[in-house]
Amino acid sequence: MRLVESLFVNPDVTAAEHARYADLSIVASPGTGAPELPVLRAYFSALLFGSGRPVLVVPERWTHAPLRRAVIGWRPTRQAARAIHDALPILHRAEQVDVVEVGPKGESLGDGDQPGADIAAHLARHGLNVRVVVHEQHQEAVSSALLRHCEQAHAQLLVVGGYGHSRFREWALGGTTRELLEFGNVPMFFSH
C-alpha cells in the first residue's frame, strides 16, 4: 500500500504512476448519480489508461462472497483479450465462467461462425469450466444486458475490456465502460 501526497501534479495522474508497481488497483464505485462520479471517472480513466494495470471497481454496498460464478463480457478485441488474460488468476477461483457476447457481429470482428467458441476453448484449456451465452442485441444497451446476465446468474464478478474514445480516452470513456462504471452492482474487473 502506498500513501502519496501530490502538491503540483493531478492526484489521478499520480495514482496511475504508482499503480504501475502493483498487480491491481481497486476503487470504490459511488453508484448512480453520486456527486463523486466525475472524480471517480477521472481516477478510473487515469488508472485504466495510464497505469498498464487492471482496475477492480467494487460497488459501495457489496458484501464479500466466495467467487462461484464469473461473467466475461466478450468481444473479439484486444482489450477484451487483455482483460481475460489479466483476470486469469482470479477466474481460476470460479466454479463457473460465463462468456457473454451481446449482439455478436459474426465474422466481421473475427469471431467466426460460433460467437464466443474460440475464447471458450482457450479458457477451457486453462482448466476453467466455461459456458458461452449469446444475447441478441435488440434495443438494450450492452451494459444493461451484461448487468442483467450477472444478476440472473448470481455472479460475483464481471470481467470486461475497458474502452475509451481514441484521442480523448483520458477524459471520455466508451459508452459501455461508462455505463458499467455508473450502474454496475457487482465487482467489475477492467483491463485495457
Side-chain angles (χ1 to χ4, degrees), residues 106-124:
E107 295 180 36
S108 65
L109 286 176
D111 210 15
D113 293 335
Q114 296 178 318
D118 290 337
I119 195 63
H122 172 72
L123 292 169

Side-chain angles (χ1 to χ4, degrees), residues 4-78:
V4 179
E5 292 186 31
S6 174
L7 298 176
F8 301 107
V9 180
N10 288 343
D12 53 340
V13 173
T14 302
E17 290 171 356
H18 287 274
R20 292 179 188 141
Y21 308 106
D23 293 327
L24 177 69
S25 294
I26 302 173
V27 297
S29 173
T32 307
E36 305 88 17
L37 195 56
V39 173
L40 173 66
R41 280 191 191 150
Y43 272 96
F44 176 80
S45 291
L47 289 168
L48 184 66
F49 301 120
S51 73
R53 298 289 189 237
V55 179
L56 180 66
V57 178
V58 181
E60 181 182 32
R61 290 184 176 84
W62 183 258
T63 55
H64 174 70
L67 180 58
R68 290 193 167 82
R69 165 115 353 126
V71 173
I72 296 171
W74 175 247
R75 278 275 206 237
T77 63
R78 182 191 69 76

Side-chain angles (χ1 to χ4, degrees), residues 3-184:
L3 174 62
V4 179
E5 292 186 31
S6 174
L7 298 176
F8 301 107
V9 180
N10 288 343
D12 53 340
V13 173
T14 302
E17 290 171 356
H18 287 274
R20 292 179 188 141
Y21 308 106
D23 293 327
L24 177 69
S25 294
I26 302 173
V27 297
S29 173
T32 307
E36 305 88 17
L37 195 56
V39 173
L40 173 66
R41 280 191 191 150
Y43 272 96
F44 176 80
S45 291
L47 289 168
L48 184 66
F49 301 120
S51 73
R53 298 289 189 237
V55 179
L56 180 66
V57 178
V58 181
E60 181 182 32
R61 290 184 176 84
W62 183 258
T63 55
H64 174 70
L67 180 58
R68 290 193 167 82
R69 165 115 353 126
V71 173
I72 296 171
W74 175 247
R75 278 275 206 237
T77 63
R78 182 191 69 76
Q79 292 88 347
R82 176 88 254 159
I84 289 171
H85 178 269
D86 288 347
L88 272 175
I90 297 170
L91 291 173
H92 278 289
R93 296 177 181 200
E95 296 170 8
Q96 173 75 43
V97 176
D98 288 354
V99 173
V100 177
E101 193 161 356
V102 180
K105 304 220 184 328
E107 295 180 36
S108 65
L109 286 176
D111 210 15
D113 293 335
Q114 296 178 318
D118 290 337
I119 195 63
H122 172 72
L123 292 169
R125 286 192 296 272
H126 279 275
L128 300 178
N129 182 16
V130 183
R131 177 176 78 131
V132 176
V133 179
V134 176
H135 287 288
E136 295 300 322
Q137 187 175 13
H138 301 288
Q139 294 188 341
E140 183 178 34
V142 171
S143 58
S144 297
L146 289 173
L147 292 173
R148 182 173 41 82
H149 183 85
C150 286
E151 186 177 338
Q152 291 171 347
H154 304 288
Q156 291 83 31
L157 179 69
L158 173 61
V159 175
V160 291
Y163 300 88
H165 297 293
S166 58
R167 288 185 59 211
F168 303 106
R169 71 180 180 198
E170 297 292 335
W171 299 277
L173 298 172
T176 299
T177 303
R178 185 179 59 250
E179 291 163 4
L180 287 172
L181 189 61
E182 187 169 349
F183 301 111

